[in-house]
Amino acid sequence: AHARWWPKLPDAAHARGFLSWSSFGHVMGLGLAMPNLPAKVHLDAARFVANPLSWLEALDSTGATHATMTNFGMSLVLRAVAENPGRRWRVEHVRKIGIGAEPSSRGTCGGFLACLMEFGLRDDALILGYGLSECGPVVGGGISFSADDPGDADTPPQLDRPTSGHAVRIVDEAGRLLQEGDAGRIEVCGPTMTTGYPGDDEATEALFTPDRWLRTGDLGFLCDGRLTVVGREKELIIQQGRKFHPYDI
């Protein structure tokens, strides 16, 4: 059971429902396939973007105890709530909100947490994670986001250590391991990785390193074993031999 695709899923004894607005082909949307929850609610992504308050309404009306969200989604919810002063939603029953799919900023996470705490959300509800549809969530689930975490509001927050059975390493362009604190390419391995893309041998070969670690295409660094994601490899800017990561800019 420790090697399941999403190792820290809530079970039926500790959850009443799971809410997601991600597509079913996305690492977060695939969570709706879990068999052990009494209720699974999918909010259409287009509906959410058009009306971000529909996510809060769904949490309130369904009583879902677990949900997913992205940095982009949090910013939409924050803006919509600010534009609708006086409206209230009950979310005190929500235990965990998994944040992922894209790099998050401390400022957005802190603002989102403070906003929902006004409606009863517990202060340890935000769980920042990392993963791909090709490997499932490989980081997160153990450490909650705290508004007191050090760092600038616009920089990516520090995530968790790898989930059970998984490993993360950071390498340079030549595949050499980097020291903690040095940013480079994120590679992962574990029991939940895909074996490849059916019918596309070229893409499958490019996905894996010779020692069968999965190339994520993301950039990040490790500190005390905890991952920080700073951007995508193709977003790296090289000027006059100097490398600039998105979070630096």
Side-chain angles (χ1 to χ4, degrees):
H2 75 282
R4 55 192 298 180
W5 181 84
W6 201 326
K8 289 187 176 293
L9 283 177
D11 56 40
H14 301 94
R16 294 198 303 272
F18 178 85
L19 170 66
S20 175
W21 58 270
S22 301
S23 67
F24 297 131
H26 190 275
V27 62
M28 297 174 77
L30 283 170
L32 285 171
M34 53 186 158
N36 56 338
L37 288 182
K40 293 175 280 188
V41 183
H42 182 253
L43 179 63
D44 181 73
R47 178 183 175 187
F48 166 72
V49 172
N51 178 20
L53 296 183
S54 62
W55 184 79
L56 286 171
E57 293 165 358
L59 280 180
D60 188 333
S61 63
T62 65
T65 51
H66 295 73
T68 62
M69 183 52 68
T70 69
N71 197 78
F72 168 67
M74 288 190 292
S75 66
L76 293 182
V77 172
L78 284 170
R79 184 184 309 156
V81 170
E83 293 173 349
N84 291 269
R87 292 194 60 181
R88 305 287 299 179
W89 300 266
R90 296 187 60 183
V91 296
E92 65 272 10
H93 53 276
V94 179
R95 297 178 181 175
K96 300 296 179 184
I97 300 175
I99 311 296
E102 59 187 358
S104 301
S105 73
R106 288 182 177 87
T108 301
C109 291
F112 185 74
L113 179 60
C115 175
L116 267 62
M117 285 178 63
E118 292 292 322
F119 307 134
L121 186 71
R122 52 195 294 172
D123 63 3
D124 65 346
L126 298 193
I127 301 293
L128 278 60
Y130 172 76
L132 306 172
S133 298
E134 289 86 349
C135 60
V138 296
V139 167
I143 300 177
S144 299
F145 170 80
S146 171
D148 296 328
D149 288 346
D152 297 330
D154 294 330
T155 59
Q158 188 179 38
L159 306 181
D160 206 346
R161 296 178 179 87
T163 54
S164 177
H166 293 92
V168 175
R169 70 184 184 188
I170 309 297
V171 302
D172 62 15
E173 294 88 340
R176 296 181 294 251
L177 285 175
L178 295 176
Q179 298 295 318
E180 282 208 345
D182 292 338
R185 299 173 175 177
I186 301 173
E187 295 180 350
V188 302
C189 73
T192 60
M193 293 194 310
T194 181
T195 56
Y197 302 110
D200 195 336
D201 294 339
E202 183 177 349
T204 297
E205 183 178 358
L207 182 64
F208 295 103
T209 65
D211 56 351
R212 299 301 291 177
W213 284 65
L214 188 146
R215 298 184 176 107
T216 66
D218 292 320
L219 300 172
F221 61 88
L222 294 170
C223 184
D224 191 26
R226 294 176 62 182
L227 177 67
T228 297
V229 181
V230 300
R232 292 286 294 172
E233 184 177 351
K234 63 183 179 181
E235 295 172 348
L236 183 66
I237 298 172
I238 302 177
Q239 186 176 31
Q240 296 179 348
R242 296 184 62 193
K243 299 175 184 177
F244 298 90
H245 297 281
Y247 78 100
D248 289 326
I249 300 172

